[in-house]
Amino acid sequence: MSTFPAWVVREDPANPKRRRAALEEIDETALDDLPVAIDVTHSSLNYKDALALGGRPGVVRRTPLVAGIDLVGEVTASLDDRFAPGDAVMLHGAGLGEDRHGGLARRARVDADALLPVPAPFTSAQAAAIGTAGLTAALAVLALERHGLRSDAGPVLVTGASGGAGSIALALLGVAGYEAVAVTGRPEEMGERLRSLGAADVLDRSELEAEGRPLAAQRWAGAVDGVGGRILANILAGTRTDGAVAAYGLAASPDLPATVLPFILRGVSLLGVNSVEISRPLREAAWDRLARDLDPALLDALTRTVPLGAAQETARELLEGKGAGRIVIDVQG
C-alpha cells in the first residue's frame, strides 16, 4: 500500500502531558474505517489547527491524530449512495482534527453526514479558503438574524476583523447592507483593507480592552465576537436594548468578566455559535448564504496559499498574531 504525507499529532515521548506534530509518511491503514474515501486537494489553517500543530492542548482529543479541521477534495470510493467517485466535496468541523483524522493529509476517510458538495460559484481552493472560519461567520450572521437583527438596526460590531472568520463576517454583513464596525488592534495598518471588505467604520481594539462599567452607553445593535474575555464583557455592556451578540471564539480569553445587568435590564442576548457538530440543514443554510453573498474575487483577495510542508511554520506565525485573512493549504503542493 502506498504512503502519503500527513501532519500527525502524537504524545511527546519525553513528556506524556505534551504533544508534538510532525509531517510523516502514513498509509490508509492509519486512517479510520469510514465509508467515503477522498483524495484531499486543499485544507486551510484555522486557529484550532495552529494550536494542534504547535502542540498546544485543548484541540486534539486522541493520539495519534491527523490534524486539520477542514478538507476539500475528490471522492475516490464511497459506500454511501449520496456520493460517488469524482465528486468534488468538502467537510468542515464535524470533529475533524479533534477526535477524527483531519484534512492535513493527502488522503482521508470520512463519514458522509456532514460532507457536502463544493457549491457554485466556488472552486475547491475557494471552498477551502472559506473553511470552518467562513462557515462560523455565516452561522453567526444567521444566528443574529434569527434573533431579529435587521440591516437598518444600527451598528454591528465585528471583533477579530482581520482574521479569517472576522473578515468573512464583515463581507457578509456589508453585502447585506449592515453598518458593520470592524475591531482591530492595527487600525492604521488594516483600516483601508477592512473598509474594502465591507466595514463602515473601524474601531481600535484598545477601546474595548480596559475594564469598563457593567452597563455602558448603548452603542451596538449586535455583534459578532471571536475573542471573548474583557472585550466581550464590554461589548455586552454597550449593546442596545434587545440586541444580541453571537460569540464563537476565545482568541483573547475563555473568561467572561461580566454581570447579568445587560441581560436583565436591556434584554441583551448572548448567542453561542458552534461550528463543529451542527445539523445538516443548518450547515447547508450557512453555505447557501456564503454562495449567495460572498464574492469569490473578494475571497481571493483575502487568501494566501502555502504548501503542506509549510503548515507548521505558518501556524506559528498565526499564533504570534501575524496572520490576516485566510490561509489555504495546498495539500498536493
Side-chain angles (χ1 to χ4, degrees), residues 6-11 19-24 26 30-32 34 48-49 52-53 58-69 95-105 109:
W7 281 100
V8 181
V9 181
R10 298 183 182 274
E11 288 187 357
R19 288 168 178 166
R20 62 182 185 181
L23 189 60
E24 302 180 11
I26 64 173
L31 302 178
D32 297 319
L34 294 171
K48 283 184 177 180
D49 300 319
L53 291 173
V59 176
V60 174
R61 300 193 180 102
R62 54 176 267 212
T63 56
L65 191 77
V66 176
I69 67 173
L96 290 183
E98 298 185 53
D99 53 27
R100 300 178 184 179
H101 291 303
L104 289 176
R109 296 193 69 92

Side-chain angles (χ1 to χ4, degrees), residues 13 54 56 60 63 89 126 135 140 143 174 185 194 222 224 226 252 262 279 315 318:
R56 306 277 187 92
V60 174
T63 56
V89 294
Q126 289 167 337
L135 173 63
L194 294 172
V224 175
S279 69
L318 184 60

Side-chain angles (χ1 to χ4, degrees), residues 100-150:
R100 300 178 184 179
H101 291 303
L104 289 176
R106 288 191 180 166
R107 296 179 197 164
R109 296 193 69 92
V110 302
D111 278 324
D113 289 343
L115 193 65
L116 296 177
V118 173
F122 303 123
T123 65
S124 292
Q126 289 167 337
I130 294 168
T132 295
L135 173 63
T136 303
L139 290 169
V141 172
L142 290 175
L144 290 173
E145 292 178 344
R146 286 197 305 273
H147 183 269
L149 185 69
R150 296 294 179 264

Side-chain angles (χ1 to χ4, degrees), residues 133-134 137 158-173 182 194 197 224 248:
V158 179
T159 65
S162 61
S167 296
I168 295 177
L170 274 181
L172 294 176
L173 291 168
L194 294 172
L197 294 177
V224 175
Y248 67 84

Side-chain angles (χ1 to χ4, degrees), residues 122-215:
F122 303 123
T123 65
S124 292
Q126 289 167 337
I130 294 168
T132 295
L135 173 63
T136 303
L139 290 169
V141 172
L142 290 175
L144 290 173
E145 292 178 344
R146 286 197 305 273
H147 183 269
L149 185 69
R150 296 294 179 264
S151 60
D152 60 355
V156 179
L157 207 63
V158 179
T159 65
S162 61
S167 296
I168 295 177
L170 274 181
L172 294 176
L173 291 168
V175 167
Y178 288 91
E179 183 188 347
V181 179
V183 180
T184 177
R186 300 174 285 172
E188 294 183 359
E189 176 187 347
M190 302 299 298
E192 182 177 347
R193 178 175 179 273
L194 294 172
R195 287 185 173 87
S196 73
L197 294 177
D201 199 4
V202 177
L203 185 70
D204 194 318
R205 186 175 63 205
S206 62
E207 293 189 37
L208 295 169
E209 288 179 322
E211 183 174 357
R213 299 172 62 185
L215 210 59

Side-chain angles (χ1 to χ4, degrees), residues 9-325:
V9 181
R10 298 183 182 274
E11 288 187 357
D12 187 337
N15 185 349
K17 293 183 178 181
R18 295 181 60 85
R19 288 168 178 166
R20 62 182 185 181
L23 189 60
E24 302 180 11
E25 289 287 325
I26 64 173
D27 62 41
E28 289 202 34
T29 62
L31 302 178
D32 297 319
D33 186 16
L34 294 171
V36 184
I38 297 171
D39 272 349
V40 182
T41 58
H42 301 85
S43 186
S44 69
L45 197 64
N46 299 277
Y47 186 66
K48 283 184 177 180
D49 300 319
L51 292 173
L53 291 173
R56 306 277 187 92
V59 176
V60 174
R61 300 193 180 102
R62 54 176 267 212
T63 56
L65 191 77
V66 176
I69 67 173
D70 294 335
L71 67 80
V72 182
E74 182 177 303
V75 174
T76 57
S78 177
L79 299 177
D80 189 294
D81 59 11
R82 289 173 287 184
F83 298 97
D87 288 349
V89 294
M90 60 185 188
L91 195 147
H92 304 95
L96 290 183
E98 298 185 53
D99 53 27
R100 300 178 184 179
H101 291 303
L104 289 176
R106 288 191 180 166
R107 296 179 197 164
R109 296 193 69 92
V110 302
D111 278 324
D113 289 343
L115 193 65
L116 296 177
V118 173
F122 303 123
T123 65
S124 292
Q126 289 167 337
I130 294 168
T132 295
L135 173 63
T136 303
L139 290 169
V141 172
L142 290 175
L144 290 173
E145 292 178 344
R146 286 197 305 273
H147 183 269
L149 185 69
R150 296 294 179 264
S151 60
D152 60 355
V156 179
L157 207 63
V158 179
T159 65
S162 61
S167 296
I168 295 177
L170 274 181
L172 294 176
L173 291 168
V175 167
Y178 288 91
E179 183 188 347
V181 179
V183 180
T184 177
R186 300 174 285 172
E188 294 183 359
E189 176 187 347
M190 302 299 298
E192 182 177 347
R193 178 175 179 273
L194 294 172
R195 287 185 173 87
S196 73
L197 294 177
D201 199 4
V202 177
L203 185 70
D204 194 318
R205 186 175 63 205
S206 62
E207 293 189 37
L208 295 169
E209 288 179 322
E211 183 174 357
R213 299 172 62 185
L215 210 59
Q218 300 189 45
R219 302 177 67 184
W220 324 114
V224 175
D225 177 62
V227 299
R230 176 66 62 188
I231 288 175
L232 177 55
N234 286 332
I235 293 170
L236 290 167
T239 299
R240 296 178 181 177
T241 297
D242 295 329
V245 178
Y248 67 84
L250 42 70
S253 172
D255 296 332
L256 182 56
T259 74
V260 300
L261 293 182
F263 308 122
I264 65 175
L265 296 182
R266 292 182 182 163
V268 172
S269 295
L270 179 58
L271 311 175
V273 178
N274 169 24
S275 59
V276 179
E277 299 294 344
I278 56 177
S279 69
R280 190 178 185 90
L282 185 54
R283 189 180 290 272
E284 290 172 339
W287 276 97
D288 286 346
R289 181 61 171 267
L290 289 159
R292 187 190 81 188
D293 286 353
L294 186 59
D295 181 356
L298 181 64
L299 178 64
D300 289 343
L302 290 173
T303 304
R304 65 184 175 112
T305 301
V306 300
L308 182 65
Q312 191 171 56
E313 178 183 350
T314 309
R316 188 177 301 113
E317 295 172 0
L318 184 60
L319 291 176
E320 292 171 353
K322 298 177 181 177

